[in-house]
Amino acid sequence: MSGSIQESAGGECGFDVFVRACPSRGTLEHVTGRWGGLALGALYEGSLRFNELRRRVDGVSEKMLSQTLQALERDGLVHREAQPVNPPRVDYRLTDLGRRVAERLLALIHCVEGEMDEVLAARSRYDETRGAR
């Protein structure tokens, strides 16, 4: 059936991120979005409190980080643990699923970082030919 999530030959549901209604598309957006990817990468280093994570992910607002963490928690990638202490303490860590996803994401991050000389040279050539600054 074209344009829908299809049953695979093994009887398991086959997800296709290129199909608009596929739930994997939303999760991919959460993982690869600007703040989601950075939050997952930072949490791969270990459990962090909200403000520690906010400092690690430089430039994210409190509101955006909160929304990002809620989406990642809903997708089962992040675990939020609230400690019943005063003042309140909330720790975030990756779930097993979150660690598997973050490992792949970090491989991409390291690839991009390692190729930045080539990227910057390409940008410079592009800007020179287009008259951009």
Side-chain angles (χ1 to χ4, degrees):
M1 181 182 282
S2 180
S4 65
I5 301 170
Q6 301 175 1
E7 292 291 321
S8 67
E12 295 178 24
C13 187
F15 296 98
D16 184 349
V17 75
F18 296 101
V19 175
R20 182 183 344 185
C22 184
S24 65
R25 186 179 285 193
T27 300
L28 183 65
E29 289 173 7
H30 297 156
V31 168
T32 60
R34 180 183 210 177
W35 305 119
L38 295 173
L40 288 171
L43 288 170
Y44 190 78
E45 299 167 4
S47 177
L48 293 171
R49 295 175 75 175
F50 184 86
N51 285 325
E52 292 171 327
L53 184 56
R54 188 166 168 227
R55 282 190 296 275
R56 180 70 178 106
V57 181
D58 190 29
V60 67
S61 70
E62 188 173 320
K63 178 181 177 184
M64 284 308 302
L65 182 57
S66 179
Q67 289 175 354
T68 298
L69 290 168
Q70 286 175 3
L72 294 172
E73 183 182 7
R74 183 171 183 252
D75 287 340
L77 302 171
V78 169
H79 175 74
R80 178 185 185 273
E81 186 172 347
Q83 306 286 335
V85 295
N86 194 5
R89 176 185 172 114
V90 179
D91 293 297
Y92 294 89
R93 65 172 171 79
L94 295 178
T95 62
D96 290 340
L97 172 60
R99 287 196 69 74
R100 293 192 303 272
V101 170
E103 285 173 0
R104 288 163 176 82
L105 181 61
L106 285 168
L108 176 60
I109 289 169
H110 294 142
C111 176
V112 169
E113 289 174 338
E115 301 296 337
M116 281 311 298
D117 288 339
E118 189 172 337
V119 170
L120 294 173
R123 286 180 184 176
S124 181
R125 288 189 304 274
Y126 180 94
D127 291 348
E128 286 174 12
T129 62
R130 305 291 190 296
R133 293 183 182 204

